[in-house]
Amino acid sequence: MAAEAPPPVAPSEAPSPPKAGPRALAWQRRRRSAARFWQRYRTHRAGVLGLAALTLFALIALTAPLTVGSDVQSVTNAPGRPMESPSAEFPLGTDQFGRSLLGLVVWGSRVSLLVGLLAAVLSVAIGALIGITAGHFRGWFATVMMRITDWFLVMPTLVLAIALATVMSRSLGTIILAIGVTTWPTTARLVRAQTLAVESRPYIERAKALGGGHWHVMSRHVLPNVMPLVLAQTTLIISSAILAEATLAFLGLGDPTVVSWGGLLQDAREAGAVSAGKWWYLVPPGIAIAVVALAFTLCGRAVESVLNPKLGVTL
């Protein structure tokens, strides 16, 4: 006798799909936010062009050990004659020691981009910390912090950076520190204004009424709301940091043991390339600095426009 089939399951008794946990829901929201951000960012043609240029320079910097090798910095094993004009062997000519300028520009991208990125991160971190704390605590603490910020704001940034780089040892860490601790005031003022706007909203009062402390309010409510501003400010400061690094290196305050775009300009000045008409010694690193700074500026403006639609800027 055949076995009887099990009774059909009623629709109300059908197993429901498992519910996603809070962490999975958070990741879904982040993915949707990233997708919306990219869709809006793609409408800014200049921003896409800047991003493509930065991607190219990043690939060049990352692959420099494979494409040109670290031997390109060697002065004793230079393959060419000093100050040789561009040729098939040396497309951008040679420097005062006979090293290939193409290889030096490629290798120098690693130092210039690294210093610009780290200095910008340090600057934005200091500015965001001071801006959030001054906007949250207010009172005498905010007054003192803002007066210090105003002092740094009115002082010439380059002069302060030169002073720090002069009294400290000549190294990449000194350059990063000198740029980072002198360029944060603008970020601090912007973040403080945004913090005041966020803390005036009703849900902040509810969080405090439910027992949320200072750290909870600043980290869970204020910081996520100011992060878009911090991100946009970071992309804008990187270009300024790269220019500042090139300026300090050009003035002879950089690390003489590493190759950077600013250091190449300093070497060209010392070698008399300007008076001798050796344009190939000056143009490549100068163009590289200008293009990277412009690319970061275009990306920063596009990010700022996407994250703050009230600007109404179409790049």
Side-chain angles (χ1 to χ4, degrees):
M1 184 175 181
E4 296 182 359
V9 180
S12 59
E13 299 178 1
S16 58
K19 296 182 179 180
R23 190 179 298 273
L25 291 175
W27 277 109
Q28 290 177 7
R29 288 195 298 268
R30 290 170 185 171
R31 285 195 294 267
R32 287 196 296 266
S33 298
R36 287 195 301 268
F37 173 84
W38 176 242
Q39 289 177 356
R40 296 174 182 174
Y41 187 91
R42 287 188 302 177
T43 61
H44 300 269
R45 294 185 296 272
V48 174
L49 180 62
L51 182 61
L54 291 181
T55 303
L56 177 61
F57 274 97
L59 291 175
I60 290 174
L62 292 174
T63 59
L66 301 177
T67 55
V68 297
S70 59
D71 293 339
V72 72
Q73 305 178 84
S74 176
V75 177
T76 57
N77 297 325
R81 300 189 305 273
M83 309 284 281
E84 187 176 347
S85 61
S87 61
E89 184 179 2
F90 305 106
L92 298 182
T94 61
D95 68 346
Q96 58 180 331
F97 303 109
R99 298 177 296 179
S100 172
L101 274 175
L102 176 60
L104 292 176
V105 170
V106 170
W107 191 265
S109 64
R110 297 169 61 87
V111 176
S112 296
L113 292 177
L114 179 64
V115 171
L117 180 61
L118 294 181
V121 170
L122 176 61
S123 173
V124 171
I126 296 174
L129 177 62
I130 292 179
I132 292 176
T133 54
H136 176 77
F137 290 104
R138 307 181 189 181
W140 66 267
F141 177 81
T143 302
V144 172
M145 289 294 98
M146 287 299 99
R147 297 297 77 79
I148 295 175
T149 303
D150 292 339
W151 184 84
F152 274 94
L153 197 61
V154 299
M155 287 293 293
T157 301
L158 183 60
V159 175
L160 290 176
I162 291 175
L164 287 175
T166 302
V167 300
M168 300 176 68
S169 60
R170 296 173 61 182
S171 65
L172 292 182
T174 298
I175 297 296
I176 294 171
L177 183 64
I179 298 173
V181 300
T182 56
T183 57
W184 58 266
T186 303
T187 303
R189 280 205 160 274
L190 292 174
V191 171
R192 178 177 180 268
Q194 184 70 10
T195 300
L196 293 175
V198 170
E199 294 211 352
S200 65
R201 297 172 184 173
Y203 69 86
I204 297 293
E205 294 296 331
R206 289 196 295 268
K208 293 179 179 178
L210 292 173
H214 297 299
W215 174 253
H216 175 82
V217 172
M218 288 189 294
S219 62
R220 295 296 184 88
H221 299 292
V222 177
L223 183 60
N225 283 279
V226 303
M227 276 305 295
L229 177 64
V230 170
L231 176 61
Q233 189 68 11
T234 302
T235 56
L236 293 174
I237 290 181
I238 290 177
S239 60
S240 301
I242 291 175
L243 293 174
E245 185 276 332
T247 302
L248 294 176
F250 178 76
L251 295 176
L253 299 176
D255 189 347
T257 62
V258 298
V259 176
S260 68
W261 292 336
L264 290 177
L265 294 177
Q266 162 68 2
D267 293 341
R269 185 183 66 84
E270 290 184 347
V274 178
S275 58
K278 309 295 185 180
W279 59 266
W280 59 87
Y281 206 160
L282 297 166
V283 172
I287 290 179
I289 293 172
V291 170
V292 170
L294 177 61
F296 272 112
T297 301
L298 293 177
C299 289
R301 294 301 180 188
V303 170
E304 189 177 21
S305 179
V306 171
L307 298 178
N308 187 8
K310 295 180 180 180
L311 295 176
V313 179
T314 302
L315 298 177

